[in-house]
Amino acid sequence: MSKVKTARPNFVSTTNACKLCTPLGASLAFRGVEGGIPFLHGSQGCATYMRRYIISHFREPVDIASSALGEKNAIYGGGPNLKKGILNVMKKYEPKLVGVATTCLTETIGDDVPMYFNEFFKEFGDLDLPELVRVSTPSYNGTHTDGWHGAVRSMVEQLCVEDHADTGRVNILPNMVSCEDIRHLRDICDHFGIEATILPDISETLDGPALEDYVKIPEGGTPISEIKAMSGARATIEFGRCLPRETGGTSLETRFGVENHRIGLPMGLRESDRFFEVLESVSGNPMPRRYELERGRLVDAYVDGHKYIFGKRAVVYGEEDLVVGLCAFLSEIGVDVVLAGTGSRGKGLEGAIAQVTHGTARVAPEVREAVDFHDIAAEAETLAPDLVVGHSKGYRYAREWNVPLVRVGFPIHDRFGGQRLLHLGYKGTQALFDRVVNAVIEKKQADSSIGYGYI
Amino acid sequence: MTVKIADILEERRDQIHRTGEGAIDIACNRESLAGAVSQRACVFCGSRVVLYPIADALHLVHGPIGCAVYTWDIRGSLSSGPELHRLSFSTDLQETDVIFGGEKKLEAALDELIDRHSPKAAFVYSTCIVGLIGDDMEAVCRKMTEKKGIPVLPVMSEGFKGNKRAGYEAACKAMFRLIGEGDTSGISPVSVNIFGDFNLAGEIWIIREYFERMGVQVVANVTGDGRVNDIARCHGAALNLVQCSGSTMDLAKMMKEKYGIPFQRVSYLGIEDMADSLYRVADFFKDKDPSIVERTQALVRDELQKLMPELARYRKDLEGKKVAMYVGGSFKAFSLVKAFRHLGMKVVVVGSQTGTKEDYAELAEITDPGTVIIDDANPLELSHFIKEKDVDVFVGGVKERPIAFKLGVGFCDHNHERKEALEGFTGMLNFAREIHASAMSPVWQFAPRRANRIRAARKEAVNE
């Protein structure tokens, strides 16, 4: 059996981190709300760096406001700049929601954002104010996934405060997935006859159409009215086996009795089956024919392709729940995950992987939390992988080991269309499966002295 | 002068000027306005961009993970040898470090990383949080310098302590500690240091080749393809050539003061500025080496003979098209304005993150009436002027790209991340090719802004 090494006894320093900072995750989540603009309470650099980073993946304008704190503010507190910043954002962007995430700077100087919000409401209550949501995201505590989940929970807890009449809707908290994944989820719900509140919904706000004008805040995103009515939903489905104990989903369950279904990201056949079973049960409708067919085609493809990939050794890394989903999928198709790593710590990654690979995995992977790429590389040397599955940042290592990198997740900085990659459901699994098989075939061709054109 | 436009916040109106509309008195070098979504970064960013390309140094970011990870291998700065600069090192401060202080962790990280990579020097960057918790970086660096036998240099770059400019200064101060440490023997009296070039896509190699042909020795590249030992002995050079003046002028001034080395502002972008820079270097050395002038003339002549016919082909298509540019330092903008003239194009909007009053005055001087000059802009202002001026091509960095693209406007990356060499005569051709590809693609006719206009024009034609 494998052993989880969370404390990284070997290295003090971090080399090529396999995680991003907390406010980035919060910014992404706030971008998935209708009329929402992310606002980082900190120095100007944080917002700019994160914008730059996110833009490179989504290739969309990403406007993140900042309280642009300077040295004086660091000493006397950032309240005045926060308030002025919100007012300026209101003037120029006319947002429906301003999502304020703190940074290491403002957390450390002890800025009291709830108090500033109260003052702001008192001072400017006569204005037509947007919704203000705050989340505490010190960047020395957790990773971008914590920022994401924290922002989602904050939105649920700060916007959905009343017991809403039964809406018959289903809440979906989809975790950090792609724009295409969200679009696919919405289609699935439509076909099940489910009206879904997907929070956040970045499908349009971070993958928008070409337009006549520069849109201050792109259309789309979860409507605020829907968020407020989440308490009236018939159920919540939240994706993630490594989620924090308390999330938007558990909060709705505790406060309003909305049944919370916590399932893994629907990746691979069995995890997707679980998702579709939950949809059947919450909708009362059987699985639509089209998904039976998708599932059937997927099984057929698994069979057709099994020999190309059986026994290949994969290194997998990324966000904790994505890693779990990938392990579920890869173990089903006979790929041995030899190392599964995430930059997060304390997320129960090993247990989650054991659950989703039970009965399919032939070997238990080395599971590493709080890894960086230096750790991964140190392990991988002895593990001799055939395949690397993760985001773009593993490219230099895959290149060094001369093995293919199948790009999934965030960020995809060295390929085009990362926001349109599909990972979820039978269809997403199919797309992943084709990519994995083709990556192996391509490598075989590249290495071949004959150059088989018929494989 | 004020511009009454809804997209511009009242407090920012004095940071925008139109050439020809009265005397230029633009407000600049002030803190970014809260909530304005500035395109600017921070002090840390300023120091990081300057020092980043020193390829045989260890660059350790002392702070939480974000600052290191967002600057990991994002630049197109190439190295002809070591590639240590392309790795991202951090102390990844955690909550307990913030409470109890990060000095021990920093020391242990340096210990570990210096042993692992045997760098020639280490730069340690402070971040916001380090400034707040008060780690004594100076003391840790001093101790590690003694222990490891290499220079370990603190870079005082707390993000909130000003803007990018303050970071440039912090970087120059850190480098200045290195200078004077190396042996200057073997340095020719006809020698220069290249300051303020970052070897994006190998540009410095183009420029070095020109100097070689002129008979000028290049002692140190500061900082593109930079080496610690070269920088340590660069006080032996006869002349400093400062391109990106925002980032390295401070260092040139410090060297002039301490070592008496004169400096010249140069630019390797565009035909005139490239040629002019080479001529001025030749002029500087002509007493020591009289034939240098002739060699330089021959060089420029040869290069132009190759270049001009090719440029003419691009110019045919590009004549009359309009350009907006938003750059980090404004010095680059001067050269670009001239370079675009060679392509028959007109610059109608020009702005920068960190320009000075003098820079903007010079821009007002060289641009046509009506050109918008803007300091510390944001997406709404940029998109406003792109539309108002109906530009065909936008020149900027990654954050500006989607703004241009959303509006159906061609884009040329002229920032740290670009992978095309745009300097020198060779670079001018690459530049023309890229601008041509950016402006002439058929895709723009499908982008709504133009598509709708084309449709309207057709409709009108039918009605007539």
Side-chain angles (χ1 to χ4, degrees):
Chain A
M1 272 309 286
S2 68
K3 229 172 55 214
V4 197
K5 300 161 195 163
T6 49
R8 282 201 296 151
N10 299 330
F11 309 125
V12 177
S13 57
T14 295
T15 302
N16 297 344
C18 189
K19 61 178 176 181
L20 304 162
C21 77
T22 338
L24 180 133
S27 301
L28 277 176
F30 287 134
R31 265 291 287 227
V33 179
E34 188 181 53
I37 187 161
F39 188 116
L40 294 186
H41 186 37
S43 78
Q44 178 61 47
C46 304
T48 306
Y49 269 134
M50 288 176 220
R51 286 177 62 205
R52 197 210 68 82
Y53 204 84
I54 296 169
I55 284 169
S56 296
H57 173 90
F58 290 97
R59 295 169 191 265
E60 286 288 302
V62 177
D63 292 5
I64 299 176
S66 169
S67 46
L69 300 185
E71 193 159 17
K72 272 188 217 146
N73 312 112
I75 297 164
Y76 298 111
N81 265 44
L82 175 62
K83 290 184 229 171
K84 187 176 174 184
I86 295 172
L87 286 175
N88 278 336
V89 164
M90 280 166 54
K91 265 186 235 167
K92 289 300 129 205
Y93 284 84
E94 297 164 31
K96 291 183 183 151
L97 176 140
V98 181
V100 176
T102 54
T103 59
C104 60
L105 173 63
T106 47
E107 285 287 333
T108 308
I109 63 176
D111 260 10
D112 188 345
V113 177
M115 183 186 77
Y116 294 148
F117 272 17
N118 283 336
E119 289 174 8
F120 186 81
F121 287 126
K122 264 186 216 148
E123 287 170 51
F124 304 106
D126 51 335
L127 300 176
D128 185 15
L129 295 180
E131 301 287 348
L132 298 182
V133 172
R134 59 185 191 278
V135 61
S136 164
T137 44
S139 46
Y140 43 74
N141 204 345
T143 71
H144 60 300
T145 55
D146 296 286
W148 172 280
H149 297 310
V152 171
R153 182 177 160 201
S154 290
M155 286 191 277
V156 169
E157 292 192 337
Q158 291 165 41
L159 296 174
C160 181
V161 288
E162 280 169 23
D163 203 346
H164 199 280
D166 192 359
T167 59
R169 301 179 72 89
V170 172
N171 304 320
I172 297 185
L173 308 181
N175 210 319
M176 273 194 75
V177 295
S178 78
C179 301
E180 189 69 30
D181 286 328
I182 303 276
R183 288 192 283 266
H184 185 47
L185 285 176
R186 201 165 282 293
D187 282 346
I188 293 172
C189 289
D190 281 352
H191 295 135
F192 266 94
I194 291 171
E195 283 190 291
T197 296
I198 301 179
L199 178 71
D201 178 356
I202 57 167
S203 64
E204 287 176 64
T205 56
L206 281 167
D207 194 15
L211 294 167
E212 168 89 28
D213 209 343
Y214 186 82
V215 180
K216 295 177 176 184
I217 300 178
E219 275 185 37
T222 321
I224 289 169
S225 57
E226 282 187 20
I227 302 173
K228 288 183 172 173
M230 284 171 96
S231 52
R234 65 173 95 158
T236 303
I237 306 171
E238 60 178 5
F239 293 160
R241 290 173 175 272
C242 298
L243 294 174
R245 185 168 308 193
E246 288 174 30
T247 56
T250 62
S251 172
L252 288 167
E253 187 163 53
T254 322
R255 291 184 299 143
F256 305 108
V258 183
E259 192 185 5
N260 189 39
H261 301 266
R262 181 175 286 190
I263 57 174
L265 285 180
M267 296 176 73
L269 195 72
R270 298 190 304 172
E271 288 288 86
S272 294
D273 282 347
R274 282 195 183 92
F275 174 51
F276 282 96
E277 280 160 19
V278 172
L279 290 178
E280 284 185 326
S281 98
V282 298
S283 71
N285 297 327
M287 177 137 91
R289 173 86 179 133
R290 62 193 305 144
Y291 297 105
E292 273 177 20
L293 288 172
E294 271 180 15
R295 188 182 191 284
R297 277 194 294 270
L298 179 62
V299 174
D300 192 55
Y302 271 15
V303 171
D304 290 344
H306 73 279
K307 221 168 267 189
Y308 296 109
I309 46 176
F310 178 80
K312 296 287 178 199
R313 300 160 66 81
V315 165
V316 177
Y317 58 81
E319 280 103 33
E320 54 273 17
D321 276 312
L322 182 67
V323 167
V324 174
L326 287 167
C327 287
F329 159 65
L330 291 168
S331 75
E332 285 176 356
I333 62 174
V335 169
D336 299 333
V337 176
V338 288
L339 174 69
T342 184
S344 289
R345 66 177 76 220
K347 297 293 160 64
L349 184 66
E350 189 186 32
I353 290 174
Q355 276 176 9
V356 297
T357 60
H358 182 72
T360 49
R362 301 184 316 128
V363 290
E366 191 76 20
V367 177
R368 298 290 301 263
E369 293 195 352
V371 282
D372 59 15
F373 279 101
H374 187 76
D375 300 318
I376 292 174
E379 298 267 359
E381 261 170 35
T382 55
L383 297 171
D386 303 300
L387 191 67
V388 177
V389 186
H391 53 71
S392 283
K393 296 305 171 190
Y395 167 65
R396 65 180 302 135
Y397 296 93
R399 179 178 150 116
E400 208 171 288
W401 306 329
N402 190 26
V403 297
L405 168 64
V406 175
R407 288 165 181 82
V408 295
F410 173 87
I412 308 290
H413 283 162
D414 67 334
R415 282 292 182 278
F416 191 70
Q419 73 277 44
R420 289 183 288 274
L421 288 177
L422 186 62
H423 313 85
L424 300 189
Y426 302 123
K427 203 167 149 188
T429 305
Q430 180 75 69
L432 273 179
F433 182 73
D434 293 345
R435 289 170 65 210
V436 167
V437 173
N438 283 331
V440 172
I441 289 176
E442 211 172 304
K443 164 83 174 140
K444 198 179 169 117
Q445 279 181 320
D447 290 349
S448 154
S449 57
I450 295 143
Y452 290 108
Y454 181 85
I455 286 184
Chain B
M1 198 228 44
T2 53
V3 196
K4 290 284 171 203
I5 293 163
D7 289 327
I8 293 152
L9 286 157
E10 198 57 45
E11 284 155 291
R12 287 206 22 83
R13 293 220 157 118
D14 57 355
Q15 286 173 272
I16 299 162
H17 174 83
R18 284 170 198 255
T19 303
E21 292 186 1
I24 181 161
D25 181 24
I26 201 163
C28 52
N29 211 16
R30 58 157 78 136
E31 276 180 15
S32 293
L33 180 63
V37 192
S38 169
Q39 304 294 92
R40 269 189 192 161
C42 57
V43 182
F44 165 73
C45 169
S47 64
R48 190 84 177 91
V49 295
V50 173
L51 298 172
Y52 176 102
I54 303 175
D56 57 354
L58 182 92
H59 300 271
L60 174 62
V61 180
H62 186 32
I65 203 63
C67 307
V69 85
Y70 303 131
T71 50
W72 171 16
D73 204 18
I74 62 171
R75 302 184 76 191
S77 295
L78 300 186
S79 166
S80 54
E83 301 226 315
L84 200 48
H85 66 306
R86 297 186 59 199
L87 301 180
S88 164
F89 301 112
S90 171
T91 48
D92 188 11
L93 290 182
Q94 298 296 306
E95 196 156 19
T96 46
D97 306 315
V98 174
I99 296 165
F100 299 111
E103 288 173 21
K104 282 210 172 68
K105 193 172 193 183
L106 172 61
E107 199 178 310
L110 279 167
D111 215 355
E112 173 178 278
L113 289 171
I114 291 171
D115 287 352
R116 190 190 295 162
H117 295 285
S118 312
K120 290 282 192 285
F123 291 100
V124 183
Y125 302 76
S126 61
T127 55
C128 286
I129 196 83
V130 170
L132 291 177
I133 63 177
D135 279 0
D136 190 348
M137 277 190 19
E138 191 73 51
V140 174
C141 288
R142 205 179 313 121
K143 185 173 167 191
M144 295 313 287
T145 301
E146 276 164 31
K147 186 172 172 192
K148 297 290 169 185
I150 59 160
V152 179
L153 303 159
V155 185
M156 306 315 283
S157 52
E158 294 88 340
F160 58 82
K161 280 192 171 165
N163 64 31
K164 215 166 159 185
R165 262 183 182 278
Y168 296 154
E169 205 186 325
C172 288
K173 277 186 184 156
M175 275 192 288
F176 194 59
R177 291 182 175 207
L178 269 181
I179 294 169
E181 299 291 311
D183 175 14
T184 56
S185 57
I187 293 177
S188 157
V190 181
S191 57
V192 297
N193 297 312
I194 297 180
F195 278 17
D197 191 277
F198 304 105
N199 201 35
L200 306 177
E203 286 173 333
I204 226 169
W205 300 328
I206 297 173
I207 306 306
R208 281 186 72 122
E209 196 239 344
Y210 294 158
F211 288 131
E212 264 164 42
R213 282 157 69 184
M214 287 163 60
V216 176
Q217 183 191 3
V218 178
V219 180
N221 303 331
V222 180
T223 53
D225 198 15
R227 298 292 181 275
V228 171
N229 287 345
D230 292 344
I231 296 171
R233 70 187 211 117
C234 79
H235 57 294
L239 176 66
N240 283 329
L241 300 176
V242 183
Q243 181 177 231
C244 180
S245 58
S247 62
T248 47
M249 188 54 101
D250 287 330
L251 187 64
K253 285 180 180 160
M254 287 187 249
M255 283 183 73
K256 177 146 196 275
E257 200 171 300
K258 183 159 178 190
Y259 301 103
I261 301 171
F263 59 82
Q264 281 184 0
R265 275 173 79 154
V266 292
S267 167
Y268 312 126
L269 298 169
I271 298 168
E272 285 139 325
D273 286 356
M274 181 70 246
D276 183 55
S277 297
L278 296 179
Y279 284 139
R280 284 196 295 125
V281 172
D283 194 52
F284 182 87
F285 288 117
K286 68 176 188 289
D287 296 338
K288 290 177 187 162
D289 177 1
S291 58
I292 192 171
V293 177
E294 204 177 307
R295 280 199 301 277
T296 308
Q297 283 166 344
L299 185 160
V300 172
R301 198 171 48 239
D302 287 354
E303 292 292 325
L304 287 184
Q305 256 168 15
K306 278 188 281 178
L307 175 64
M308 293 315 267
E310 300 231 35
L311 278 192
R313 286 192 295 130
Y314 293 116
R315 184 179 169 126
K316 254 199 316 208
D317 284 340
L318 295 172
E319 193 87 51
K321 294 205 179 285
K322 286 177 282 182
V323 182
M325 64 174 84
Y326 189 72
V327 293
S330 52
F331 200 62
K332 184 158 66 188
F334 305 146
S335 296
L336 284 173
V337 169
K338 293 178 219 166
F340 276 115
R341 284 210 180 110
H342 273 284
L343 298 175
M345 298 169 78
K346 229 175 106 172
V347 173
V348 289
V349 179
V350 54
S352 89
Q353 290 176 23
T354 55
T356 61
K357 274 199 193 297
E358 298 74 44
D359 294 340
Y360 291 123
E362 192 168 337
L363 277 175
E365 192 86 7
I366 61 168
T367 50
D368 297 321
T371 301
V372 173
I373 298 174
I374 184 164
D375 176 62
D376 187 18
N378 54 57
L380 297 187
E381 292 167 3
L382 292 173
S383 59
H384 173 92
F385 289 117
I386 290 173
K387 282 182 288 174
E388 183 198 300
K389 296 290 184 181
D390 192 20
V391 306
D392 299 284
V393 177
F394 192 100
V395 179
V398 172
K399 291 186 299 292
E400 286 81 52
R401 183 178 61 202
I403 301 171
F405 282 178
K406 273 289 166 205
L407 289 167
V409 166
F411 179 80
C412 167
D413 184 358
H414 212 305
N415 213 329
H416 304 299
E417 302 185 30
R418 74 186 135 94
K419 308 292 185 285
E420 285 290 325
L422 303 179
E423 287 181 359
F425 302 105
T426 322
M428 181 66 197
L429 186 57
N430 292 339
F431 178 63
R433 194 177 291 132
E434 186 175 342
I435 293 296
H436 188 260
S438 306
M440 300 309 294
S441 170
V443 302
W444 304 124
Q445 62 183 295
F446 307 115
R449 219 161 56 86
R450 297 221 189 273
N452 294 346
R453 206 180 305 165
I454 293 167
R455 207 172 302 137
R458 265 193 215 127
K459 219 170 163 185
E460 206 170 305
V462 172
N463 291 343
E464 269 169 15

